[in-house]
C-alpha cells in the first residue's frame, strides 16, 4: 500500500505498536521502583496495586497503553465493517470489546495490596474481571483463527492469533503447575505477549492496509 493512499484509520494502526511498547516499558522498568520485587515470581498486577511503591512509575510508563490500544482497535473495527468474513470479523469485534473490558475493569478494580488482598476490589479484579477477559480472549482468538484460515490472505493473521492463544494457554497452565518462584515468568506469557502482542499485530495489519480489502464470505 502506497503511503500516499493510507487513510487516517490506517495510520491509527501504529497506535497498536505504541500501546504494546508502553505496556512493555511499564512491565520492564516499573520494578526498578519496587524494592525486593522479583519479576520471576510476582504477578505484573502487583506493580500497579494500590499499595505498590511502583504505582506512580507504572502509570507514567503505561500512559499510552490503554488509550492507544482502544483507538487502534476501534479503528480496526470500523475498517473491517462489511469486510473479511463473519467469523473473522466477529472475532476481531469480541477481541476489541475484551480490551475495553480489560482497560476499564482493571482500572476500576486494581489490587488493594501487592500479592492480592481480600477487599471487594480484589475479588472483582481476580474473580470477575480477569475470568471475563480470559474467556473473551480465548473465544475471540479462536474465531480469528478459524476465520483467518478460511479467507485467502489472512492465514498469517490466523497464525498470529494461534501463537497468541498458545502463549495464553502456556501461561495459564504454567502459572497453575509451575513452582511459585516461576509464577511471574509464565504469567507474562499470557499477560504481556499474548493479548498485547496481538493488539500490535492487528495494528500492523491495519497500517499496511490488509484490512481494507472487501470480498465478504
Amino acid at each position: 500500500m502506497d503511503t500516499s493512499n493510507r487513510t487516517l484509520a490506517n495510520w491509527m494502526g501504529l497506535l497498536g505498536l505504541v500501546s504494546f511498547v508502553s505496556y512493555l516499558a511499564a512491565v520492564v522498568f516499573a520494578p526498578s521502583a519496587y524494592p525486593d520485587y522479583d519479576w520471576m515470581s510476582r504477578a505484573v498486577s502487583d506493580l500497579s496495586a494500590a499499595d505498590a511503591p511502583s504505582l506512580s512509575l507504572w502509570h507514567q510508563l503505561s500512559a499510552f497503553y490503554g488509550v492507544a490500544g482502544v483507538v487502534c482497535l476501534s479503528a480496526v473495527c470500523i475498517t473491517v465493517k462489511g469486510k473479511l468474513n463473519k467469523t473473522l470479523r466477529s472475532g476481531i469485534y469480541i477481541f476489541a470489546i475484551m480490551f475495553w473490558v480489560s482497560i476499564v475493569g482493571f482500572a476500576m478494580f486494581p489490587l488493594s495490596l501487592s500479592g492480592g488482598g481480600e477487599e471487594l476490589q480484589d475479588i472483582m479484579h481476580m474473580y470477575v474481571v480477569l475470568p471475563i477477559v480470559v474467556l473473551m480472549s480465548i473465544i475471540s482468538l479462536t474465531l480469528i483463527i478459524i476465520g483467518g484460515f478460511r479467507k485467502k490472505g489472512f492465514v498469517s493473521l490466523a497464525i498470529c492469533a494461534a501463537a497468541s492463544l498458545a502463549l495464553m494457554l502456556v501461561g495459564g497452565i504454567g502459572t497453575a503447575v509451575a513452582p511459585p518462584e516461576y509464577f511471574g515468568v509464565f504469567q507474562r506469557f499470557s499477560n504481556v505477549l499474548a493479548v498485547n502482542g496481538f493488539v500490535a499485530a492487528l495494528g500492523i495489519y491495519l497500517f499496511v492496509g490488509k484490512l481494507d480489502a472487501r470480498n465478504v464470505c
Side-chain angles (χ1 to χ4, degrees):
M1 186 180 190
D2 190 281
T3 303
S4 61
N5 293 327
R6 286 197 174 97
T7 65
L8 177 59
N10 294 137
W11 286 104
M12 285 181 177
L14 292 177
L15 292 176
L17 286 173
V18 172
S19 174
F20 177 70
V21 171
S22 179
Y23 190 82
L24 184 62
V27 171
V28 172
F29 296 110
S32 65
Y34 196 137
D36 301 322
Y37 179 87
D38 178 17
W39 72 270
M40 294 184 68
S41 63
R42 300 285 294 275
V44 171
S45 54
D46 289 349
L47 295 168
S48 58
D51 71 332
S54 56
L55 181 60
S56 178
L57 182 57
W58 174 273
H59 285 320
Q60 288 179 312
L61 294 173
S62 65
F64 289 102
Y65 162 60
V67 63
V70 164
V71 173
C72 172
L73 292 177
S74 297
V76 168
C77 289
I78 293 171
T79 300
V80 302
K81 182 180 179 182
K83 301 171 185 176
L84 313 182
N85 58 55
K86 185 176 181 180
T87 304
L88 181 53
R89 195 166 60 244
S90 297
I92 290 174
Y93 288 160
I94 295 172
F95 185 85
I97 295 171
M98 175 280 299
F99 192 83
W100 273 85
V101 171
S102 172
I103 295 299
V104 175
F106 290 130
M108 289 181 64
F109 304 107
L111 293 177
S112 63
L113 299 171
S114 295
E118 298 180 354
E119 302 292 333
L120 174 61
Q121 65 194 68
D122 300 308
I123 295 172
M124 292 296 294
H125 182 106
M126 294 185 289
Y127 302 112
V128 178
V129 179
L130 182 59
I132 291 175
V133 168
V134 171
L135 180 61
M136 292 184 71
S137 298
I138 293 173
I139 293 173
S140 62
L141 290 172
T142 301
L143 289 174
I144 292 170
I145 292 169
I146 296 172
F149 278 117
R150 284 179 179 174
K151 183 168 181 61
K152 183 179 179 181
F154 285 86
V155 173
S156 59
L157 184 62
I159 292 174
C160 287
S164 296
L165 184 58
L167 287 169
M168 183 176 294
L169 294 177
V170 168
I173 295 172
T175 54
V177 303
E181 56 265 31
Y182 297 111
F183 175 87
V185 175
F186 285 99
Q187 199 248 359
R188 281 159 173 74
F189 276 94
S190 54
N191 195 304
V192 181
L193 298 175
V195 172
N196 297 303
F198 194 69
V199 171
L202 281 174
I204 292 172
Y205 260 72
L206 177 61
F207 176 68
V208 300
K210 287 280 289 183
L211 302 179
D212 294 336
R214 292 188 177 272
N215 183 23
V216 181
C217 58

